[in-house]
Amino acid sequence: MKRVFYSRLLVRLLRPSNVKRTLFFLCVDIMCSYLTLTFSYNLRYSFEVPLEFNGNIILSFIFLIALKVAMLFVFRVYLVPWSFFGLSEAVKILYAHSIAYALFVLLFVIFDFFEYLPLSVVIVDFVISSIFIGFIRVSKRIYLENVPKHSPKNTLIFGGGMQAANVIKSALSGDIPYDPVAIIEHKRASWGSYISNLRIYPLSAAEELIKKHKITSAILTKDFAKPPLEDVFKQLDSLGLTDIKIATTLSEESNIKEPLKDISIEDLLSRPVKDLDKNLIQSFIANKTVLITGGGGSIGSEIARQCKAFGAKQLILIDHSEYNLYAITEEMGQDNVVPIMVSILEKERLLEIFTIFKPDILLHAAAYKHVPLCEANMLSAIENNIVGSKNVIDCAIEAQIPKIVIISTDKAVRPTNVMGATKRIVELYAQNIDPKKSEVVAVRFGNVLGSSGSVVPKFKAQIAQGGPITVTHPEITRYFMLIPEACRLVLQAASIAQGGEIFILDMGSPVKIVDLAKNMLKLYRKENEVKIVFSGLRPGEKLYEELLIDDSEEKTQYDSIHVAKPTPYPISKLNYDINELLNAHNYIAKLKEIVAEFNHQENKGGVQNA
């Protein structure tokens, strides 16, 4: 037992910490300062020091060393980890010495207190002490740069700047299993220069460097890894770089355990931010009470995160899923977050909640959205998506909530499935209801990457299981957007809404699902192991999604946001038709009656190999 106790005690004592590092360097600096002063003093007198000077010299030594240590504390030199000592810290040591010795000389001249210490000793010691203390600090980095490494992978860094320097530091300290051999940069002005002893080359030199050093790895800095990344990935892949990482935000003060992350399909499909107006969103959200239905779902939870980031005063999260509500509440904490487990079909409870909390903004994200499930459970889809949404809108208007935002989908455009038709009816209801003192708007966008039930998590699971990846049709395409981008644009559209609009978010260019699958296989290096098979279009599924019915949309001040042409529908007739729909024997026929452009597809297809 004693042996275990002492071994644990020894491990604890040897474990690095800020306090231990500070005490270590404090002792080293004091010892080094005393030795350099003694050497400088002996050097002045050719190593024949008059004995009568000793008492005053010791007093002056103590005073100068105390000044020096105090200045090193002021410049926070003791807070820098040994292995991260760099040029900026060397400059701080020089500044600390300059101020300490200047104060010492000033007192020397004014008070003539240290009359027995020649000024030449002070000058010589300033030079020697700066060099020695700086050398001790940089010694570990010199060692790490020259110590044999445990077979790290030769790699190219793509993108220069401070982040490239930090990646190199991480490699030298052994935090990442990579050995950078060169830096590739787009900027012509930096070609031929060096960062931490690594030369910067143009992209045209990459192939030669890869062959010369047998490189298979690449690390992209933030500046190089700007969206879209698909072309960059294809270029690196064609060069034979099979291990591609993206550097996270690194700094010498940060303590990031994972300085690199794998390139993901989300990185490949992400787009540069075009006209996001964060100030407008913040002024819309800040200090407001925001209620979100479906607050635990993929979209609702991200809207909640964004609202918190933009300074919402209080968040009311409604969801009928206990686990989803629990997960988002645990993530966001209890401060200013009120989780309420209720179904949007419970109209009386909704009205009670809206009346009690009196939110300034309501964002309605609760819906059934999985196309095949809605096809197989039509009544449930109709009740939840239409009746539930009607309940939310009606109760919000009655509670006089100023802004009511309905999340819609591109599947509402010329719908071919029950889910799309139900969402189109909700759009019609939002556009034609008497809003009274409220503003009711809808925001329509396409697929979001990573949402529950979406294609990306499905493909990831299929790859993990060894395949095959099932794609419904070789020509099927979809619009994709990252969830955070979609949610920020939803808030931006809501902030400029005046009521009655259907906003359409610019989703960029459509993506072929089979190309998406092929890129994911390349990312996971499974091209030769996992097959792609075509299973045939599912019930209600169409090849191409649309965001607009025609080209008559109106533009807003933002290129990413458009407004669809309004569709008049007498609200009394719409309410009557919805009631008939609930009691209909043929749901499809009645949906077609309400949504004239509804063209229901009952697709059936066999499995084919890609």
Side-chain angles (χ1 to χ4, degrees):
M1 289 295 292
K2 287 185 177 180
R3 183 179 298 176
V4 173
F5 170 77
Y6 286 122
S7 63
R8 288 180 178 176
L9 180 62
L10 182 62
V11 169
R12 186 174 297 178
L13 289 173
L14 294 177
R15 185 180 298 157
S17 69
N18 292 335
V19 174
K20 292 173 188 175
R21 181 179 65 242
T22 301
L23 289 174
F24 170 76
F25 278 113
L26 185 61
C27 294
V28 168
D29 290 343
I30 291 173
M31 186 181 300
C32 183
S33 297
Y34 178 77
L35 292 174
T36 58
L37 268 170
T38 303
F39 177 78
S40 300
Y41 193 74
N42 278 277
L43 188 66
R44 166 66 177 78
Y45 288 98
S46 301
F47 296 93
E48 297 179 359
V49 179
L51 295 176
E52 61 270 20
F53 289 171
N54 286 349
N56 292 319
I57 293 308
I58 291 173
L59 184 61
S60 62
F61 277 17
I62 293 173
F63 191 74
L64 179 55
I65 291 171
L67 271 176
K68 192 189 305 183
V69 169
M71 287 301 105
L72 290 172
F73 267 109
V74 168
F75 281 92
R76 304 170 70 86
V77 175
Y78 290 108
L79 300 180
V80 180
W82 200 353
S83 58
F84 289 120
F85 185 87
L87 180 61
S88 60
E89 286 70 39
V91 172
K92 289 178 182 179
I93 287 178
L94 185 61
Y95 287 160
H97 274 72
S98 300
I99 295 174
Y101 282 80
L103 289 173
F104 183 81
V105 170
L106 185 63
L107 294 172
F108 180 98
V109 173
I110 293 175
F111 297 104
D112 199 25
F113 185 71
F114 306 108
E115 56 181 318
Y116 298 107
L117 183 66
L119 186 61
S120 58
V121 172
V122 178
I123 295 173
V124 171
D125 183 64
F126 167 77
V127 176
I128 297 176
S129 176
S130 300
I131 293 172
F132 269 73
I133 289 179
F135 176 77
I136 290 171
R137 292 303 201 285
V138 80
S139 59
K140 185 172 182 179
R141 181 169 176 182
I142 293 174
Y143 169 76
L144 290 173
E145 288 184 0
N146 292 279
V147 70
K149 302 178 181 66
H150 299 289
S151 61
K153 303 176 184 177
N154 286 351
T155 188
L156 285 179
I157 297 177
F158 286 80
M162 183 58 69
Q163 198 172 31
N166 287 328
V167 169
I168 296 169
K169 283 186 179 182
S170 294
L172 292 174
S173 62
D175 292 337
I176 56 177
Y178 295 93
D179 183 15
V181 297
I183 299 170
I184 303 297
E185 178 63 276
H186 286 311
K187 299 174 184 175
R188 181 184 294 272
S190 61
W191 296 348
S193 58
Y194 289 80
I195 296 177
S196 298
N197 294 326
L198 289 189
R199 186 172 180 176
I200 301 175
Y201 294 87
L203 185 59
S204 58
E207 187 172 1
E208 182 181 348
L209 288 167
I210 290 168
K211 291 179 180 177
K212 180 180 179 181
H213 298 282
K214 298 179 180 179
I215 297 170
T216 58
S217 304
I219 297 175
L220 311 182
T221 66
K222 185 178 179 181
D223 289 337
F224 203 91
K226 291 179 179 178
L229 270 179
E230 188 172 7
D231 291 339
V232 173
F233 173 73
K234 287 180 179 177
Q235 192 171 14
L236 297 184
D237 186 67
S238 68
L239 291 171
L241 299 176
T242 57
D243 182 13
I244 304 172
K245 303 286 185 182
I246 298 178
T248 56
T249 302
L250 296 170
S251 67
E252 294 183 6
E253 293 76 18
S254 63
N255 185 27
I256 300 174
K257 294 183 180 179
E258 297 293 339
L260 303 177
K261 75 179 187 72
D262 291 321
I263 192 169
S264 67
I265 194 66
E266 287 83 2
D267 293 318
L268 296 188
L269 294 179
S270 62
R271 307 179 303 163
V273 178
K274 291 172 61 178
D275 51 4
L276 183 67
D277 193 336
K278 291 185 177 180
N279 292 330
L280 178 68
I281 299 173
Q282 185 158 9
S283 63
F284 176 59
I285 296 295
N287 299 316
K288 302 282 182 62
T289 296
V290 182
L291 188 148
I292 305 168
T293 69
S298 306
I299 301 297
S301 61
E302 182 59 32
I303 289 176
R305 295 183 194 100
Q306 296 293 336
C307 287
K308 184 176 182 179
F310 284 112
K313 180 176 66 176
Q314 188 178 43
L315 289 173
I316 316 299
L317 305 182
I318 290 178
D319 205 298
H320 73 275
S321 168
E322 178 188 28
Y323 176 75
N324 287 351
L325 201 56
Y326 163 78
I328 187 62
T329 306
E330 283 293 297
E331 176 188 334
M332 302 191 68
Q334 300 294 331
D335 294 341
N336 303 325
V337 177
V338 181
I340 301 176
M341 195 159 56
V342 64
S343 168
I344 56 175
L345 294 175
E346 301 176 64
K347 187 172 183 179
E348 292 183 1
R349 286 198 62 197
L350 284 180
L351 181 58
E352 180 183 2
I353 292 165
F354 295 173
T355 304
I356 291 173
F357 290 100
K358 293 181 169 46
D360 302 290
I361 303 165
L362 183 149
L363 292 138
H364 176 46
Y368 289 157
K369 62 180 182 180
H370 198 264
V371 170
L373 283 178
C374 288
E375 291 294 316
N377 301 272
M378 293 186 187
L379 181 58
S380 295
I382 290 167
E383 287 179 338
N384 190 77
N385 289 1
I386 299 177
V387 178
S389 297
K390 269 180 87 285
N391 290 344
V392 170
I393 296 170
D394 293 343
C395 293
I397 291 173
E398 187 173 344
Q400 298 183 3
I401 296 176
K403 185 83 73 172
I404 305 164
V405 183
I406 311 300
I407 306 298
S408 190
T409 171
D410 57 357
K411 292 177 178 60
V413 182
R414 293 194 185 95
T416 59
N417 50 67
V418 172
M419 192 278 280
T422 60
K423 297 295 280 186
R424 178 56 181 157
I425 291 173
V426 174
E427 286 184 353
L428 292 172
Y429 193 83
Q431 272 201 323
N432 292 279
I433 187 72
D434 180 6
K436 298 179 182 177
K437 295 184 178 180
S438 303
E439 293 177 356
V440 185
V441 301
V443 182
R444 181 193 293 166
F445 56 88
N447 298 276
V448 288
L449 288 168
S451 65
S452 59
S454 69
V455 69
V456 170
K458 177 184 174 182
F459 284 175
K460 286 180 180 178
Q462 289 177 335
I463 292 171
Q465 293 168 5
I469 289 182
T470 55
V471 179
T472 57
H473 193 281
E475 297 300 323
I476 192 168
T477 64
R478 290 292 181 266
Y479 291 95
F480 285 102
M481 182 181 281
L482 294 179
I483 295 179
E485 179 189 5
C487 293
R488 283 192 289 264
L489 287 175
V490 165
L491 296 176
Q492 186 166 319
S495 65
I496 62 175
Q498 297 178 345
E501 304 101 331
I502 295 178
F503 290 100
I504 301 103
L505 305 185
D506 176 20
M507 298 293 293
S509 301
V511 176
K512 290 184 75 169
I513 301 301
V514 69
D515 291 341
L516 175 66
K518 289 176 180 178
N519 279 334
M520 290 187 70
L521 289 176
K522 284 184 179 180
L523 283 176
Y524 288 95
R525 302 299 161 188
K526 299 286 187 179
E527 304 102 305
N528 300 322
E529 300 175 31
V530 177
K531 293 183 178 180
I532 299 174
V533 298
F534 298 111
S535 57
L537 292 175
R538 297 171 298 179
E541 192 172 45
K542 57 183 176 180
L543 284 177
Y544 311 103
E545 298 290 5
E546 303 165 276
L547 288 172
L548 299 173
I549 291 178
D550 52 41
D551 295 328
S552 62
E553 83 279 5
E554 297 177 8
K555 294 183 178 180
T556 67
Q557 62 265 46
Y558 302 106
D559 292 337
S560 298
I561 304 172
H562 300 263
V563 182
K565 180 182 178 181
T567 305
Y569 200 120
I571 196 64
S572 58
K573 175 172 173 44
L574 183 56
N575 276 317
Y576 177 81
D577 288 341
I578 290 172
N579 288 330
E580 281 202 333
L581 174 63
L582 293 171
N583 299 299
H585 294 292
N586 187 335
Y587 298 121
I588 299 300
K590 189 60 184 179
L591 284 170
K592 288 182 177 180
E593 184 180 326
I594 301 173
V595 182
E597 66 274 18
F598 178 34
N599 181 22
H600 190 237
Q601 301 291 324
E602 297 186 42
N603 301 305
K604 295 179 182 179
V607 178
Q608 300 174 355
N609 289 326

